[in-house]
Amino acid sequence: MRTIKTALTLFLFVFSAGLYAQDVQTQQEEVVREAGHTNQNKFRQLYQEFSTPNQYRTASGAPGPAYYQNEADYKMNIELDDLNQKITGSETITYHNNSPTNLEYLWVQLDQNIRSKDAVSKLKDGNGIAPVAQPAGFVSEYMNEPFDGGFNITEVSKDGKPLAYTINQTMMRIDLPTPLKAGESYSFDIKWWYNINDHTIDRGRSGYEHFAEDGNNAYVIAQFFPRMAVYNDVEGWQNYQFWGNGEFALPFGDYEVNITVPADHILDGTGVLVNRKEVFSKEMMKRYEQAKKSYDKPVLIVTQEEAEAAEKGFSEKKKTWTLKAEKVRDFAFATSRKYIWDMMAVDLGAPGPEGDVMAVSLYPKEGNPLWEDFSTKVVAHTLKSYSAHTFDYPYHKAISVHAQDQGMEYPMICWNYGRPEKDGSYSDRVKYGMMSVIIHEVGHNFFPMIVNSDERQWGWMDEGLDTFMQYVAEQEYGEEYPEDIAPNTKYPSRRGEPSKIVNYMKGQQDFIAPIMSNPENVYQLGNNAYGKPATALNILRETVMGRELFDHAFKTYAQRWMFKHPSPEDFFRTMEDASAVDLDWFWRGWFYTTDYVDIGVKEVKKYFITDKPTKEGTAMLKRYGVEDPSQLDVLYVVEEGSEEMDPAMKGKTPAENAPTLNEYLMDNFTPEQRSSMKMPKYFYQITFNKPGGLVMPLIVEYTYADGTTEKVTYPAHIWRKNDMEVSKAVASDKEITKVVEDHDLKTADIDVDNNSWPRVKEAGEFEEFKRQNQG
Ligand SMILES: [Zn+2]
C-alpha cells in the first residue's frame, strides 16, 4: 500500500533531484580544474593561517590572563635651531620590562637614519627609471648632493657612564651590563642632533616647509628622538628595519618634554601644555578661556593679523614650552612664527567641562580661508563620530596642523594637506581632500595611537580600519552638515564604496598582494592597506553582517584593545566572537588571497509540475531502484518548451496539472488550511555561476511580469559545497521576467555584464553603473 509519507518524500525528492540533475562528482572535478578556484573548501576554519591561541591572546580575540606590555617613559629637552634647521636633544628613557622574560639588550629605533647620507634604504628599489617625474623629486633624486639627515648620537649612558651600543641602520642595540629582569625597570640617557629635512622636497613624514616670500619655516617634527622598539609575545623585539613604507611599532609611556624654540614661535604638540601662563600672552589666555566654552565654533587664539605681523620679525630670544602626556605611544610637535591658532570645545558626554576635549588647528595664512572655515570643525566631528563607534576619545585635545602635501598622524596631533590658490580660491577637490585627510589623520588617534597595532608589520591594521572609519565619519559628516557639502548629495568619499575598489581588484593579479602583507612588499600601498580593507569592512558591515552585529563587534574589538597591542587574529577573532557570524571564509578570501568577486546569473529555466512520467524522472527513479513508478504517488517536473511539456499546462497551478497533488491536498488538509496555502503557478531553477574566486552572499532582485520586484539575499554559505555554480529553486505565483544579481553594486563585482537575465546587451543600466565605477 502506498503511504502518504512515501508520496510526500518522493515528491520533494524528485522535484529537487530533478532540478539538481548534475552529477556532484563531475562538478567537484570542474572546481579543481578551473583557474582561480582552489581545491580547498573556502569555508574551512582558519586553523592553519592563525597563530595558536594562548595565555597572552585567547581564541576569543581578547587579551589573555598572561597578557603583558612593556612601557617606555621619556623625559626630554629639545632645542630647535631655526636659523640652521637643526634639532638637538637629550632624553632619559625609563623602560619597564613587564614581560615574564629577562632582557639582555634593548632595541631603540633611529628612524631618522633613513635620511643618513649612506642609508641602505635609499638603495632598496629595483624599479629603474620612471617615465615621469616631478621636478622637485627629480632634482632631489638626481641633482642634489644627498641630504644628510641621520641621527648623530653623541652619548648613550647610564648614570654618566657610557653604555655599549651597536647601530644597524635604523635600529640601535643597547647592551646591558646585566640583564633587565622580568618586572624591573631601567633608566638610561641618549643625546643626539640631526639636520632637519625640507619635507616638501623629500616627502618625509616630518620636517619643515620653507616660505620664500617671508623667509620663514613651518616645522612639523616627528620621529625626532630615539624611540624604544616594542617587545612582546608576538614578535619578541619588533626590530624590522624602517625602510620607509611600514610605519611604526611603539610602546605606551608617559612623556615630559621641554622644547626650546625662538620666542616668537607658536608651538603645540602631544600632551598637556603645563606652562601655558609662561608662554601665552594675557590676551591669548583670555581667548583660550573663551574657546573652552565655545562648542559651536572655533575661537582664534592667534589671529591671522597677529601671525602676519610675527612673520616679519625673527626673535633672537628663546622660549621653552613644556608638554606632559600620559599613556601615549609617541610624541610630535609643530612650531612656527607663521601659525594662526584656533580651538573649540567638544562635548563627548563626559561630565563637567573637565571631560571636554579641545579641537585645535594650526595653520599659516597660506591655508586660509579654507582652514579657518573647516579644520577645527572637522576635527570636532571626527572625535564625535569615531568615539560613537569605538570608545570616548581619552585625550584632552586633538590638533590638525596644515603642512603642504602632508598627511601624517601622531598622538593628539597630525599634519594635513589642502591649500587654496594664492587668491584664496579653491576647488571642491581641494576642499574635500582637506576635510578627508583631516578626518583620516585625526581618526588615527583611535587606530593605531590608542588601539596600538604593529604598523611596521601590518599596515592595514591601522590604515584599513582607519580608512573604513573615515568613510563612516565622512558619510555622517554629510548628514550632520549638509550645508557644507553640495545639497542633496552624499559626502564624496574617495574610498569605501564597493565600486571604487573594482579596478584594483581586477588589475593584474600578479601585481596584487593579499592584504595580509608587510607594507614594504606590496605594489600599491594605498589600495592594498587602505582601500581594499576599508571596502572589505564596509561590505562586511552593510552586506554580510548588518550594522547592528558589525558595530557591536567592531566596538568590542576597539574596547578590548584600547591602550593595548592587538594582532590581526585578535581583530578577526573578536569580530566573530562578538557576533556569532562565521567569518573565516570572509577573512580568508579578502585578507589572505588576491581573489576578486565575479558572480553572474548563468541561466533561468521554467518548470511545470505534472503526474505524467518524464524520461528524466523515470530514469532517476530507476537509479534509485524504483522499477515501476506507477506504484508510487510521485510528481514530475517538466521544463517549459521540452517535448514532454503539454502546452495546456501553461499558466496552471501544480494542483491543476497534477491530480495526485490535488488528491493529496484534499485528503490531508481542511478547506481552511488549503485556502491559506500558497498556490504557485511557476517553478524556476536559477543558476548562478561564479567566475571570481571570492565567495559572497548572492543578492538577487527578481522582477515579475506585473512590474513588482523582490529582493532575496542568499548567504555566502550557499557556495560551501560548490565554488563554481549553485542553483536555486524558486516557486512563484507570478512570472519572473528579470533576475539581477548585486543590483545595487554592493559586492565589488568586477564584471557586471553577466549579472542579469536576460542579458543586458545594449548600453543599459549596467553601462551606467560602470560609468559611475570609473569616478
Ligand atoms: Zn593613515
Side-chain angles (χ1 to χ4, degrees):
M1 187 64 205
R2 298 171 296 193
T3 65
I4 288 162
K5 197 170 170 230
T6 319
L8 182 63
T9 312
L10 275 163
F11 165 66
L12 293 171
F13 172 69
V14 175
F15 182 60
S16 56
L19 291 177
Y20 305 121
Q22 289 146 302
D23 191 343
V24 172
Q25 196 62 41
T26 320
Q27 282 184 11
Q28 284 303 328
E29 281 166 19
E30 277 169 17
V31 171
V32 177
R33 282 199 300 269
E34 199 73 20
H37 293 260
T38 49
N39 183 22
Q40 278 188 303
N41 190 289
K42 287 180 178 163
F43 291 84
R44 72 193 189 279
Q45 300 295 289
L46 284 159
Y47 295 129
Q48 284 166 339
E49 291 84 351
F50 280 6
S51 60
T52 310
N54 53 45
Q55 290 288 298
Y56 304 115
R57 290 161 203 274
T58 69
S60 72
Y67 177 83
Y68 71 88
Q69 59 195 30
N70 291 356
E71 291 161 340
D73 298 335
Y74 297 81
K75 282 192 174 155
M76 296 194 273
N77 292 307
I78 306 299
E79 184 158 351
L80 172 77
D81 178 351
D82 186 19
L83 217 52
N84 300 301
Q85 298 91 50
K86 213 171 118 175
I87 197 163
T88 308
S90 65
E91 68 184 348
T92 302
I93 301 178
T94 304
Y95 189 65
H96 306 282
N97 180 15
N98 301 323
S99 82
T101 43
N102 298 345
L103 302 172
E104 305 104 301
Y105 43 76
L106 307 178
W107 280 101
V108 175
Q109 310 184 64
L110 303 178
D111 311 86
Q112 288 297 335
N113 280 0
I114 201 170
R115 272 191 273 279
S116 299
K117 223 172 175 173
D118 53 358
V120 179
S121 56
K122 289 175 182 164
L123 307 175
K124 70 175 175 173
D125 287 324
N127 300 337
I129 196 156
V132 242
Q134 290 181 315
F138 194 85
V139 169
S140 73
E141 180 88 36
Y142 301 111
M143 299 165 78
N144 278 346
E145 269 299 301
F147 174 75
D148 195 357
F151 275 119
N152 299 279
I153 303 288
T154 52
E155 184 180 320
V156 180
S157 63
K158 163 84 177 161
D159 302 327
K161 289 188 205 114
L163 281 170
Y165 64 90
T166 302
I167 295 175
N168 173 11
Q169 300 181 56
T170 60
M171 290 286 165
M172 174 164 71
R173 190 188 71 234
I174 297 180
D175 297 319
L176 301 173
T178 54
L180 173 56
K181 289 201 181 110
E184 292 189 356
S185 300
Y186 186 77
S187 290
F188 60 102
D189 303 308
I190 303 178
K191 290 183 179 158
W192 74 92
W193 67 270
Y194 70 87
N195 296 312
I196 305 171
N197 57 300
D198 179 339
H199 69 72
T200 65
I201 292 172
D202 75 359
R203 303 187 62 217
R205 289 176 176 79
S206 80
Y208 69 91
E209 175 181 1
H210 183 68
F211 293 81
E213 280 175 23
D214 52 65
N216 286 290
N217 301 317
Y219 296 87
V220 288
I221 300 296
Q223 294 95 243
F224 67 94
F225 58 101
R227 303 182 293 178
M228 285 305 303
V230 168
Y231 177 87
N232 69 11
D233 59 290
V234 178
E235 297 280 349
W237 282 105
Q238 174 48 294
N239 56 8
Y240 189 91
Q241 295 287 341
F242 180 45
W243 290 96
N245 286 323
E247 292 181 315
F248 310 108
L250 298 156
F252 286 108
D254 299 340
Y255 287 68
E256 191 177 331
V257 186
N258 301 307
I259 309 165
T260 303
V261 293
D264 51 358
H265 266 217
I266 292 301
L267 183 148
D268 209 349
T270 308
V272 178
L273 178 59
V274 292
N275 64 338
R276 191 178 301 276
K277 284 192 178 134
E278 289 168 33
V279 292
F280 270 36
S281 67
K282 281 218 172 71
E283 189 57 36
M284 285 165 74
M285 282 306 293
K286 220 171 84 191
R287 294 167 183 171
Y288 175 64
E289 290 306 320
Q290 286 168 1
K292 286 202 284 188
K293 290 179 211 114
S294 179
Y295 293 91
D296 56 346
K297 61 173 192 304
V299 172
L300 285 159
I301 309 297
V302 175
T303 66
Q304 178 159 341
E305 209 182 359
E306 288 159 351
E308 285 184 39
E311 277 180 359
K312 298 191 174 83
F314 188 98
S315 179
E316 299 291 339
K317 286 192 199 134
K318 293 172 183 176
K319 214 185 230 181
T320 299
W321 301 62
T322 302
L323 292 155
K324 267 191 186 175
E326 286 173 6
K327 262 189 159 174
V328 289
R329 58 167 243 163
D330 201 357
F331 186 98
F333 65 94
T335 182
S336 178
R337 61 179 64 77
K338 285 179 67 69
Y339 284 144
I340 301 161
W341 202 357
D342 73 38
M343 300 178 191
M344 69 186 266
V346 189
D347 181 3
L348 293 174
E354 316 82 57
D356 291 345
V357 176
M358 297 303 285
V360 184
S361 297
L362 281 175
Y363 42 97
K365 66 174 189 299
E366 284 76 5
N368 269 340
L370 192 56
W371 276 70
E372 65 184 17
D373 285 347
F374 293 112
S375 176
T376 296
K377 190 175 165 186
V378 172
V379 173
H381 168 78
T382 306
L383 296 177
K384 285 186 212 159
S385 192
Y386 276 65
S387 293
H389 290 277
T390 56
F391 43 76
D392 284 351
Y393 182 65
Y395 299 134
H396 73 294
K397 70 178 173 192
I399 313 161
S400 162
V401 184
H402 177 37
Q404 178 81 307
D405 298 335
Q406 284 284 351
M408 190 55 205
E409 70 279 8
Y410 301 94
M412 304 182 213
I413 190 166
C414 54
W415 336 136
N416 300 302
Y417 55 76
R419 186 167 293 178
E421 301 294 325
K422 281 217 156 55
D423 65 1
S425 66
Y426 52 83
S427 64
D428 270 359
R429 196 177 64 83
V430 169
K431 174 183 153 183
Y432 294 121
M434 173 253 199
M435 289 167 118
S436 290
V437 73
I438 293 175
I439 292 174
H440 181 94
E441 307 305 345
V442 172
H444 270 308
N445 275 298
F446 295 81
F447 311 98
M449 299 305 152
I450 295 164
V451 179
N452 189 350
S453 58
D454 179 351
E455 299 177 275
R456 185 64 49 90
Q457 179 58 31
W458 303 118
W460 70 268
M461 283 196 78
D462 67 305
E463 297 303 351
L465 267 60
D466 185 38
T467 304
F468 159 71
M469 266 309 304
Q470 176 196 340
Y471 172 78
V472 173
E474 284 170 356
Q475 296 307 313
E476 289 175 356
Y477 186 93
E479 287 156 27
E480 194 181 349
Y481 303 104
E483 74 279 7
D484 286 353
I485 58 166
N488 303 319
T489 48
K490 285 171 64 154
Y491 185 102
S493 293
R494 190 159 74 95
R495 290 180 167 132
E497 294 288 347
S499 62
K500 308 244 181 199
I501 201 67
V502 163
N503 280 339
Y504 176 65
M505 301 283 279
K506 75 176 170 197
Q508 272 210 10
Q509 290 297 300
D510 290 351
F511 292 99
I512 295 177
I515 293 172
M516 284 294 288
S517 298
N518 184 292
E520 291 298 341
N521 304 341
V522 303
Y523 287 87
Q524 296 180 29
L525 193 59
N527 280 317
N528 186 279
Y530 298 62
K532 186 178 166 188
T535 311
L537 294 178
N538 189 28
I539 291 173
L540 192 59
R541 181 176 189 238
E542 300 291 350
T543 299
V544 177
M545 296 174 77
R547 287 190 182 187
E548 196 185 340
L549 288 172
F550 179 95
D551 288 353
H552 171 76
F554 192 78
K555 193 178 246 189
T556 302
Y557 165 71
Q559 294 190 351
R560 279 179 172 180
W561 292 96
M562 179 185 189
F563 292 123
K564 293 192 173 71
H565 298 278
S567 70
E569 290 94 332
D570 298 324
F571 175 69
F572 296 144
R573 285 173 167 147
T574 296
M575 291 302 288
E576 232 185 49
D577 189 65
S579 69
V581 181
D582 170 36
L583 294 172
D584 292 55
W585 62 272
F586 187 86
W587 306 134
R588 171 177 289 109
W590 280 88
F591 287 74
Y592 288 82
T593 78
T594 57
D595 289 350
Y596 52 73
V597 179
D598 185 12
I599 297 175
V601 186
K602 185 185 175 190
E603 62 182 19
V604 176
K605 287 182 176 176
K606 196 195 281 181
Y607 290 86
F608 291 85
I609 304 299
T610 173
D611 284 351
K612 272 183 25 202
T614 62
K615 269 187 237 146
E616 210 180 326
T618 312
M620 169 140 204
L621 289 168
K622 210 166 238 169
R623 282 208 298 280
Y624 286 91
V626 182
E627 289 298 333
D628 181 8
S630 66
Q631 294 304 301
L632 298 168
D633 283 346
V634 289
L635 302 172
Y636 297 87
V637 291
V638 55
E639 190 181 341
E640 184 180 48
S642 82
E643 286 170 9
E644 294 171 296
M645 156 100 187
D646 177 354
M649 285 179 187
K650 223 173 171 177
K652 288 192 179 155
T653 67
E656 288 165 337
N657 277 332
T660 311
L661 178 62
N662 203 24
E663 271 171 37
Y664 172 74
L665 292 172
M666 299 295 277
D667 289 350
N668 291 285
F669 301 93
T670 64
E672 201 188 5
Q673 285 171 321
R674 286 199 301 272
S675 70
S676 66
M677 279 178 178
K678 287 189 278 186
M679 195 47 73
K681 282 186 187 156
Y682 305 98
F683 294 88
Y684 293 94
Q685 172 178 278
I686 298 158
T687 302
F688 301 93
N689 60 348
K690 192 168 77 59
L694 280 186
V695 281
M696 286 299 275
L698 275 175
I699 308 166
V700 187
E701 185 181 274
Y702 296 105
T703 304
Y704 299 104
D706 63 0
T708 58
T709 60
E710 187 185 1
K711 260 193 193 139
V712 183
T713 300
Y714 306 101
H717 289 71
I718 198 166
W719 302 105
R720 75 197 181 284
K721 293 182 185 172
N722 189 329
D723 194 41
M724 297 296 298
E725 89 180 30
V726 293
S727 298
K728 290 304 295 181
V730 175
S732 164
D733 60 350
K734 293 189 276 192
E735 189 170 14
I736 294 174
T737 55
K738 194 169 157 192
V739 181
V740 182
E741 207 282 320
D742 194 16
H743 180 274
D744 300 320
L745 302 181
K746 284 171 171 289
T747 65
D749 192 320
I750 66 142
D751 176 14
V752 290
D753 284 346
N754 59 356
N755 282 34
S756 60
W757 173 89
R759 286 274 186 274
V760 182
K761 287 212 176 71
E762 287 146 47
E765 51 189 320
F766 276 120
E767 289 303 316
E768 192 51 43
F769 283 140
K770 278 200 287 186
R771 269 195 289 280
Q772 287 170 9
N773 283 355
Q774 285 153 7

